[in-house]
């Protein structure tokens, strides 16, 4: 079918849907029966009488008034009103009447409660002071949907292809299950592995630690936490799924998760592995198991990580294995714990090609390099959270963390530098074999004591860290410097490295109520002490003994550093139903000390003092809208290595030397925003902005000689700043109970100024960028779904020097996601990405049409699913990219996953029952 035929068909369907639907309007005002006062933030929803399908919903405003508007094909409907602590209200209406007025509705206090409502509400959404709560049963999704699928249907919630979640513009950084952690802080482990059918409610709150929540503090104002509340009837039993697949080009995947819930006790075990650059335990069954239709980007150090767990891989191909378990239980009243252990291993391979144009004030030169890395890694981590409540006034919180990791990496690199005429200036090649081993232990002990009923508390918190790193590095390198004074530097060396960190952080907080439960004075005292030891002993290869036995003192180091910081602080906190403001001021006393055991004349000790400030304000105009802003000043010292005047010549072409005269940087940060979501109209928007200004910023100061040898030191500069602002809008238009249109868009802009040096020439570069985006989703329940989106990125950099040309970049990304759910038990999904970057050099791939396709069939009462997956249908995947600043313009392209076909089979099982009863259907034993 041609595209224009599809557009015509969709248009006819929409016209038909609107033609059959009828307009309606239901209005009213909710008040307290006794006081006659209006009730704000009550949930009002309209459902069909026939099957209780949700039609629309809203919340009452500050005057208690509400309006339900929309279109519906059913004329018999029921208005329901729910408000915490009050009796529920219900009334049947005839929507064919058009405009319906319910007048003043008086409701009384719920008579069957004493201070707490125990009658369950079916309201689709409940708005409290600091909590947004969604009733899962009110939001329709495809059958067998996971939590991520559900979140995409909730008003004000956005989920991108990587699983990042935004609620009214604020990022979700934590997922809890019944208030407890689920495999650490990575939200996607829960959202992509847990199913909708097990969850009763989804609560959205500001992110807080356990002791912050216990003391009634505000917590993290910029991040959100989602708590998945398990239905009481479904909190006992076993559920999970397993899957495996094999494909062309020796591609494979396997994964499994088993959850055993017994009220307060939860045990989860997950495991997986693949060589398709996935974490190994992310299901997505059809969509996520092979990258969601996108190129995969990784860290530059040859690994990618989730929640601090490394999986290896780089930009290349990863063969990963992982297994983990999570255990949560309430052992006795007032004593609960959550623990998890995770093991991951990976083998990775990558080849990278870089072409760089280096820009100097008086000339330019070109650097070309090719590198290859092969690495193996093993990682173990264990975490626990233990809460002990002696009574309702004392909480002891303990959070230990342990990790152990080891890796082996083989790395080769060839590089050449040429002048503007194409003449060779220098060249080098090196081969490394590196073995690393690391151990880390951290623990946080917090004791919080509350007293009285006005909000007073005192807290003592002790954090400590013990870190040990060991490395063995074998290197063979040849560096040829050409020109008038040619030089050949050959090295065959072994370096034994060791790094130790012993640190602790002690903090006392005392909250004094000035106005009960509203205005508080916070007195805080903190002391942090970190001691580090870093040694690298280098030996040259002795041809006579055939051993690495000749000590190379020039390349060997033995540093001991100490960073001590003492900070007394006072703060004010004012908190009401609508208004929250915090202001704090602290004074920092800091000592930085570095001892060079090999070169005592380079020892450094510096004392610094600085004022730090922080402030935050939040005002809730209504349950629908809020305004927030923050301004802070922080002090950041230079790194000890930046202060130490040691000359590091371990890389003959890149020499570094510290500057003992550096000063600490003072950073002024600010952010603010406005959120507004109209539940009646199913749409909302947000605006936010942020920025920073840095005085005495520490920047690199590099000089390049005629042989293109770089010597880098550090300098303090003023005038660095960065400002960004953006916003977004999304709206859900419900045509009827079957058809829904969601559309939205956003824009983000950024402007930054950075002061730098180029061959002793000081300059300021200014960068502007703008990235607008639009997206639409049309869903026909149980039939199909179409999700097109487009974003374009503009960037321009001005360098402020005549020798440097301004740089302008533009890139386009078009995405199209489709899903077809017919015939019954079949599902066909397509993810199509088109990327175009016209600025890439001509010998790099400038554009790519990246298409993934899957066809799935469910059988055995929908417990089993067979999936045929095609990754990169057109075989055009690429990660070619261009970066630029005043010093260089660089094009990079590295190894990416290529086209493959894979057949997978998954099986899910579920014995969740009612309050201890289990349903044996689908039990699976391992």
């Amino acid at each position: 079918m041609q595209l224009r035929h599809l557009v015509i068909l969709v248009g006819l369907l929409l016209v038909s849907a609107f033609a059959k639907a009828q307009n309606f309007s239901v209005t009213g005002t909710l008040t307290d029966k006794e006081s006659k006062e209006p009730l704000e933030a009550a949930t009002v929803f309209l459902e069909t009488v026939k099957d209780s399908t949700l039609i629309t919903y809203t919340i009452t405003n500050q005057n208690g008034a509400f309006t339900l508007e929309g279109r519906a094909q059913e004329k018999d409907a029921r208005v329901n009103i729910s408000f915490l602590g009050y009796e529920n209200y219900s009334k049947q209406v005839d929507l064919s009447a058009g405009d319906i007025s319910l007048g003043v509705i008086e409701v009384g206090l719920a008579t069957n409660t004493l201070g707490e409502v125990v009658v369950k509400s079916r309201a689709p959404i409940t708005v409290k002071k600091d909590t947004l709560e969604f009733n899962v049963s009110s939001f329709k999704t495809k059958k067998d949907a996971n939590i991520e699928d559900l979140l995409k249907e909730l008003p004000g919630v956005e989920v991108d292809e990587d699983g990042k979640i935004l609620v009214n513009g604020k990022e979700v950084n934590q997922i809890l299950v019944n208030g407890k952690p689920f495999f650490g802080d990575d939200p996607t482990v829960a959202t992509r592995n847990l199913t909708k059918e097990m969850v009763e409610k989804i609560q959205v709150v500001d992110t807080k630690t356990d002791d912050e929540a216990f003391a009634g503090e505000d917590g993290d104002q910029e991040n959100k936490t989602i708590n998945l509340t398990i239905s009481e009837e479904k909190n006992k039993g076993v559920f999970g799924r397993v899957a495996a697949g094999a494909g062309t080009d020796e591609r494979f995947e396997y994964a499994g998760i088993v959850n055993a819930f017994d009220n307060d006790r939860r045990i989860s075990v997950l495991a997986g592995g693949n060589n398709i650059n996935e974490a190994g335990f992310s299901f997505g069954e059809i969509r996520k198991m092979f990258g969601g239709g996108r190129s995969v980007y990784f860290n530059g150090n040859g690994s990618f990580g989730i929640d601090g767990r490394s999986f290896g891989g780089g930009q290349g191909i990863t063969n990963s294995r992982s297994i983990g378990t999570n255990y949560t239980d309430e052992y006795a009243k007032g004593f609960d714990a959550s623990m998890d252990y995770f093991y991951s291993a990976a083998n990775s391979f990558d080849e990278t090609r870089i072409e760089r144009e280096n820009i100097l004030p008086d000339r330019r030169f070109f650097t070309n390099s090719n590198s290859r890395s092969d690495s193996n890694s093993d990682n173990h981590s264990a975490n626990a959270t233990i809460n002990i409540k002696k009574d309702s006034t004392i909480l002891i919180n303990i959070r230990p963390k342990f990790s152990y990791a080891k890796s082996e990496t083989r790395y080769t690199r060839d590089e050449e530098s040429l002048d503007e005429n194409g003449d060779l200036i220098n060249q080098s090649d090196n081969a490394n074999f590196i073995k690393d081993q690391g151990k880390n232990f951290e623990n946080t002990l917090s004791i919080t004591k509350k007293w009285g009923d006005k909000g007073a508390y005192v807290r003592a918190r002790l954090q400590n860290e013990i870190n040990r790193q060991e490395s063995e590095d074998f290197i063979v390198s040849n560096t040829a410097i050409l020109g008038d004074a040619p030089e050949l530097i050959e090295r065959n060396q072994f370096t034994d490295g060791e790094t130790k960190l012993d640190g602790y952080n002690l903090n006392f907080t005392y909250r004094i109520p000035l106005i009960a439960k509203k205005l508080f004075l916070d007195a805080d005292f903190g002391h942090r002490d970190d001691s580090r030891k870093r040694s690298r002993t280098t030996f040259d290869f002795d041809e006579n003994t055939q051993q690495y036995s000749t000590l190379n003192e020039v390349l060997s180091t033995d540093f001991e550093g100490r960073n001590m910081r003492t900070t007394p602080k006072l703060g004010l906190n004012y908190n009401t139903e609508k208004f929250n403001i915090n202001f704090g001021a602290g004074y920092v006393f800091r000592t930085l000390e570095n001892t060079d055991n090999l070169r005592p004349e380079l020892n450094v000790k510096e004392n610094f003092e600085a004022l730090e400030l922080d402030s935050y304000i939040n005002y809730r105009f209504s349950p629908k809208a809020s305004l927030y802003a923050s301004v802070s000043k922080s002090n950041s010292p230079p790194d000890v290595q930046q202060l130490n005047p040691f000359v590091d010549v371990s890389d003959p072409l890149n020499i570094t030397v510290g500057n003992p005269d550096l000063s600490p940087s003072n950073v002024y940060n600010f952010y603010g925003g406005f959120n507004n979501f109209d539940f009646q109209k199913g749409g909302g928007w947000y605006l936010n902005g942020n920025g920073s200004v840095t005085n005495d910023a520490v920047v690199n100061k590099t000089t390049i000689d005629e042989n293109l040898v770089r010597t880098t030191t550090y300098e303090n500069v003023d005038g660095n700043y960065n400002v960004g602002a953006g916003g977004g809008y999304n709206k859900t238009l419900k045509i009827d109970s079957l058809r829904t249109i969601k559309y939205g868009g956003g824009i983000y802009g950024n402007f930054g100024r950075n002061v730098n040096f180029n061959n002793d020439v000081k300059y300021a570069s200014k960068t502007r960028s703008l990235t607008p985006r639009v997206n639409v989703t049309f869903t026909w329940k149980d039939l199909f779904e179409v999700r097109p989106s487009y974003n374009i990125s503009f960037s321009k950099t001005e360098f402020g020097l005549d020798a440097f040309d301004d740089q302008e970049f533009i890139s386009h990304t078009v995405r199209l996601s489709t899903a077809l759910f017919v015939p019954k038990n079949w599902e066909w999904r397509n993810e199509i990405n088109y990327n175009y970057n016209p600025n890439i050099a001509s010998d790099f791939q400038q554009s790519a049409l990246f298409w993934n396709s899957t066809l799935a069939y469910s059988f055995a009462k929908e417990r089993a699913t067979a999936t045929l997956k095609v990754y990169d249908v057109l075989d055009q995947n690429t990660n070619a990219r261009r970066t630029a600043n005043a010093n260089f313009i660089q094009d990079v392209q590295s190894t990416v996953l290529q086209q493959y076909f894979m057949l997978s089979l998954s099986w899910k099982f579920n014995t969740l029952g009612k309050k201890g009863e289990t349903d044996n259907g689908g039990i699976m034993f391992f």
Side-chain angles (χ1 to χ4, degrees):
M1 179 182 292
Q2 295 183 355
L3 178 61
R4 62 187 181 89
H5 293 153
L6 179 60
V7 172
I8 294 173
L9 177 59
V10 172
L12 291 174
L13 291 173
L14 293 177
V15 171
S16 175
F18 277 106
K20 294 179 181 179
Q22 54 198 355
N23 292 317
F24 66 83
S25 174
V26 182
T27 59
T29 302
L30 189 70
T31 64
D32 183 291
K33 182 182 292 185
E34 298 297 327
S35 66
K36 310 302 180 183
E37 292 292 324
L39 298 179
E40 182 183 7
T43 303
V44 186
F45 61 102
L46 187 68
E47 63 183 5
T48 61
V49 173
K50 180 177 66 175
D51 56 6
S52 298
T53 297
L54 180 67
I55 300 175
T56 188
Y57 58 94
T58 188
I59 59 175
T60 57
N61 63 19
Q62 60 186 3
N63 298 317
F66 66 87
T67 301
L68 295 168
E69 294 178 323
R71 301 171 65 85
Q73 294 177 322
E74 298 286 340
K75 70 173 186 174
D76 295 324
R78 183 167 43 244
V79 177
N80 298 285
I81 301 177
S82 174
F83 191 63
L84 189 65
Y86 285 81
E87 296 175 339
N88 292 329
Y89 171 87
S90 181
K91 182 178 178 63
Q92 186 169 328
V93 295
D94 183 356
L95 297 182
S96 63
D99 296 332
I100 303 168
S101 176
L102 301 180
V104 176
I105 302 170
E106 297 181 344
V107 293
L109 292 172
T111 58
N112 59 338
T113 65
L114 294 174
E116 182 180 355
V117 175
V118 297
V119 178
K120 291 187 177 180
S121 170
R122 293 187 298 109
I125 187 169
T126 303
V127 181
K128 304 175 185 177
K129 174 188 173 183
D130 57 356
T131 304
L132 188 63
E133 185 175 274
F134 299 97
N135 190 332
V136 170
S137 63
S138 299
F139 299 92
K140 304 301 180 183
T141 62
K142 69 183 182 70
K143 196 175 183 65
D144 193 34
N146 60 22
I147 300 300
E148 185 174 294
D149 295 321
L150 171 62
L151 291 174
K152 292 178 179 179
E153 303 304 319
L154 302 183
V157 180
E158 300 176 67
V159 184
D160 68 12
E161 292 298 325
D162 297 319
K164 179 181 177 181
I165 307 166
L166 297 179
V167 179
N168 288 329
K170 292 190 176 183
E171 184 174 353
V172 172
N173 66 343
Q174 183 175 240
I175 297 284
L176 304 177
V177 177
N178 276 358
K180 302 299 179 183
F182 188 79
F183 282 101
D185 298 327
D186 176 31
T188 61
V189 179
T191 59
R192 287 174 171 162
N193 289 287
L194 300 181
T195 58
K196 171 194 172 183
E197 60 197 26
M198 62 171 286
V199 179
E200 182 180 34
K201 295 182 183 297
I202 290 181
Q203 298 169 327
V204 182
V205 297
D206 290 338
T207 297
K208 299 181 182 181
T209 62
D210 291 332
D211 49 8
E212 287 173 340
F214 179 76
E217 292 182 89
D218 300 321
D220 184 353
Q221 303 284 350
E222 275 306 286
N223 291 288
K224 292 292 186 179
T225 290
I226 287 180
N227 181 41
L228 307 175
T229 302
I230 307 299
S231 171
E232 186 178 356
E233 291 81 6
K234 296 181 179 180
N235 204 24
K236 191 176 183 70
V238 179
F239 68 97
R241 61 174 79 177
V242 292
T248 59
D249 201 20
E250 299 182 347
R251 300 294 166 214
F252 67 88
E253 62 181 351
Y254 57 90
I257 182 170
V258 181
N259 304 276
F261 283 15
D262 187 358
N263 297 318
D264 292 324
R265 179 179 299 165
R266 296 199 326 258
I267 303 174
S268 298
V269 178
L270 55 80
N274 63 71
N275 60 358
I276 55 174
N277 289 352
E278 289 295 334
F281 53 84
S282 289
F283 278 93
E285 186 142 288
I286 301 174
R287 195 177 328 136
K288 181 58 188 169
M289 287 183 84
F290 52 74
R294 55 188 165 79
S295 298
V296 182
Y297 289 86
F298 300 86
N299 302 321
N301 61 0
S303 66
F304 69 94
I306 295 178
D307 190 26
R309 309 175 183 118
S310 175
F311 292 90
Q315 291 113 337
I317 308 298
T318 305
N319 182 332
S320 65
R321 292 86 63 197
S322 56
I323 184 170
T325 182
N326 177 269
Y327 178 75
T328 299
D329 198 1
E330 183 172 347
Y331 298 94
K333 185 178 180 180
F335 178 39
D336 64 77
S338 176
M339 296 167 280
D340 68 76
Y341 164 77
F342 206 90
Y343 167 75
S344 62
N347 311 104
S348 63
F349 161 77
D350 178 45
E351 289 183 337
T352 300
R353 179 166 64 99
I354 300 175
E355 292 183 2
R356 174 186 286 191
E357 179 182 354
N358 302 276
I359 306 170
L360 300 177
D362 56 347
R363 67 189 190 280
R364 301 191 180 202
F365 67 95
F366 301 88
T367 303
N368 304 315
S369 67
N370 292 279
S371 63
R372 171 179 173 137
S373 66
D374 297 87
S375 64
N376 304 308
S377 65
D378 288 272
N379 302 272
H380 303 260
S381 66
N383 308 278
T385 299
I386 303 169
N387 287 315
I388 303 172
K389 290 185 180 180
K390 302 291 292 183
D391 53 44
S392 61
T393 66
I394 298 179
L395 172 68
I396 301 174
N397 176 253
I398 308 170
R399 299 194 301 273
K401 298 181 178 180
F402 172 79
S403 63
Y404 170 76
K406 64 178 182 178
S407 66
E408 293 184 356
T409 301
R410 297 182 184 275
Y411 179 78
T412 59
R413 185 168 186 260
D414 300 318
E415 181 177 286
E416 63 176 14
S417 296
L418 306 95
D419 62 17
E420 291 178 287
N421 298 320
D423 296 327
L424 188 65
I425 303 299
N426 62 53
Q427 62 182 11
S428 65
D429 62 80
N430 64 72
N432 291 69
F433 175 63
I434 307 170
K435 297 174 67 175
D436 289 302
Q437 178 177 280
K439 303 173 185 177
N440 189 75
F441 174 75
E442 299 177 43
N443 186 49
T444 301
L445 170 63
S446 172
I447 303 175
T448 305
K449 166 65 178 176
K450 299 188 298 183
W451 67 86
D453 58 357
K454 298 181 180 180
Y457 73 84
V458 63
R459 173 188 297 124
R461 181 183 291 164
L462 174 63
Q463 298 170 294
N464 73 286
E465 180 178 3
I466 302 172
N467 187 288
R468 300 290 184 266
Q469 305 286 333
E470 298 177 356
S471 65
E472 296 180 356
D473 185 357
F474 297 86
I475 180 172
V476 177
S477 67
N478 296 282
T479 303
I481 299 175
L482 309 177
D484 296 334
E487 182 181 4
L488 179 63
I489 304 172
E490 297 178 326
R491 289 179 177 173
N492 184 358
Q493 297 170 333
F494 164 71
T495 299
D496 184 11
E498 182 181 32
T499 302
K500 296 180 179 180
L501 166 65
D502 295 281
Y504 70 88
N505 184 18
L506 183 62
N507 183 267
F508 292 96
T509 303
Y510 180 33
R511 169 163 286 189
I512 305 169
L514 302 179
I515 300 176
K517 298 182 180 180
K518 286 188 178 181
L519 180 63
F520 305 96
L521 174 66
D522 293 337
D524 188 276
F525 176 83
H527 178 75
R528 184 179 184 94
D529 191 338
D530 292 329
S531 297
R532 298 176 184 269
K533 179 178 175 60
R534 181 177 182 269
S535 63
R536 290 176 58 83
T537 307
T538 300
F539 298 92
D540 292 324
F541 186 76
D542 190 322
E543 294 289 348
N544 296 323
T545 63
Q546 292 295 298
Q547 292 181 343
Y548 294 96
S549 55
T550 305
L551 178 65
N552 188 319
E553 293 186 7
V554 175
L555 298 182
S556 297
T557 59
D558 188 1
F559 296 132
E560 292 184 29
R562 192 173 185 185
N563 180 1
M564 290 183 293
R565 168 190 168 113
T566 302
T567 310
K569 181 180 178 181
L570 288 176
L572 284 173
N573 186 316
Y574 180 70
N575 192 8
T576 66
E577 286 289 328
K578 289 183 174 292
F579 192 70
N580 175 251
I581 184 170
N582 295 294
F583 176 79
Y587 199 77
V588 181
F589 300 89
R590 188 193 306 272
T591 298
L592 287 179
E593 186 175 358
N594 187 70
T595 301
D596 190 331
N597 294 322
L598 296 180
R599 307 165 187 87
E601 70 277 7
L602 300 181
N603 292 350
V604 175
K605 183 176 182 179
E606 296 285 349
N607 294 313
F608 303 106
E609 297 180 12
L611 177 68
E612 292 189 330
L613 303 170
D614 62 82
S615 62
Y616 178 81
I617 184 172
N618 182 56
Y619 182 73
R620 289 173 286 275
F621 295 92
S622 70
K624 301 178 182 179
S626 64
L627 176 70
Y628 61 92
S630 173
V631 179
S632 66
K633 174 183 179 290
S634 60
N635 181 262
S636 177
D639 188 270
V640 171
Q641 276 82 14
Q642 293 173 328
L643 282 169
N644 194 296
F646 168 69
V647 180
D648 185 352
V649 294
S650 55
D651 183 347
L653 297 179
N654 294 279
I655 302 169
T656 60
V657 56
N659 179 4
D661 298 323
L662 292 175
S663 300
S665 301
N666 289 301
V667 184
Y668 300 84
N669 289 296
F670 63 90
Y671 66 84
F674 181 80
N675 298 322
N676 183 77
F677 193 89
D678 192 325
F679 298 99
Q680 162 62 38
K681 297 180 179 179
W685 56 276
Y686 63 87
L687 297 172
N688 55 46
N690 61 83
S692 65
V693 178
T694 304
N695 291 332
D696 284 322
V698 178
V699 301
N700 292 351
K701 185 178 181 181
T702 301
T703 58
I704 302 176
D705 64 18
E706 64 277 3
N707 295 318
L708 305 182
V709 176
R710 296 175 175 86
T711 301
T712 300
T713 186
Y714 308 95
E715 192 85 10
N716 285 118
V717 299
D718 290 332
N720 282 7
Y721 61 82
N722 188 76
V723 179
Y729 175 80
N730 62 81
K731 183 176 178 62
T732 299
L733 181 62
K734 205 161 188 178
I735 302 172
D736 54 30
S737 59
L738 296 178
R739 283 157 285 197
T740 304
I741 296 178
K742 296 177 69 174
Y743 59 90
I747 188 170
Y748 185 80
N750 186 269
F751 176 73
R753 180 181 187 269
N754 290 285
V755 177
N756 292 288
F757 293 88
N758 191 307
N759 255 22
D760 283 331
V761 177
K762 188 177 181 180
Y763 68 94
S765 62
K766 297 179 181 179
T767 300
R768 300 174 178 85
S769 64
L770 190 66
T771 307
R773 58 179 173 81
V774 292
N775 59 273
V776 179
T777 300
F778 176 67
T779 303
W780 191 316
K781 182 181 175 183
D782 300 328
L783 186 59
F784 69 86
E785 177 182 273
V786 181
R787 295 174 180 258
S789 65
Y790 170 72
N791 67 274
I792 184 171
S793 178
F794 304 92
S795 177
K796 181 177 181 179
T797 301
E798 300 173 346
F799 299 112
L801 288 176
D802 294 337
F804 301 153
D805 296 329
D806 296 342
Q807 300 293 330
E808 294 189 48
F809 298 99
I810 184 172
S811 63
H812 308 261
T813 302
V814 181
R815 293 186 175 93
L816 176 64
S817 301
T818 67
L820 184 66
F821 307 117
V822 290
K824 186 178 179 181
N825 295 334
W826 288 86
E827 183 174 332
W828 181 30
R829 286 187 177 270
N830 291 277
E831 301 278 352
I832 303 172
N833 280 13
Y834 176 72
N835 297 287
Y836 176 58
N837 188 342
N839 309 110
I840 295 293
S842 58
D843 54 338
F844 285 77
Q845 190 171 336
Q846 294 182 333
S847 66
L849 183 62
F850 189 52
W851 176 14
N852 291 335
S853 185
T854 63
L855 181 64
Y857 174 68
S858 299
F859 57 97
K861 297 182 180 179
E862 297 190 348
R863 293 176 182 154
T865 302
T867 307
L868 176 63
K869 306 184 294 187
V870 184
Y871 180 88
D872 192 12
V873 175
L874 302 178
D875 199 18
Q876 291 192 19
N877 191 19
T878 181
N879 63 358
R881 53 205 181 275
R882 167 166 287 196
T883 56
N885 61 27
N887 298 325
F888 65 83
I889 303 171
Q890 176 175 279
D891 294 317
V892 181
Q893 188 164 330
S894 56
T895 304
V896 293
L897 196 62
Q898 298 294 323
Q899 181 188 77
Y900 67 84
F901 296 75
M902 181 176 289
L903 182 63
S904 303
L905 180 66
S906 70
W907 176 270
K908 66 175 183 176
F909 48 95
N910 189 340
T911 69
L912 294 177
K914 296 183 178 180
K915 297 183 179 180
E917 301 174 0
T918 60
D919 172 15
N920 290 326
I923 289 182
M924 189 171 189
F925 296 97
F926 289 82

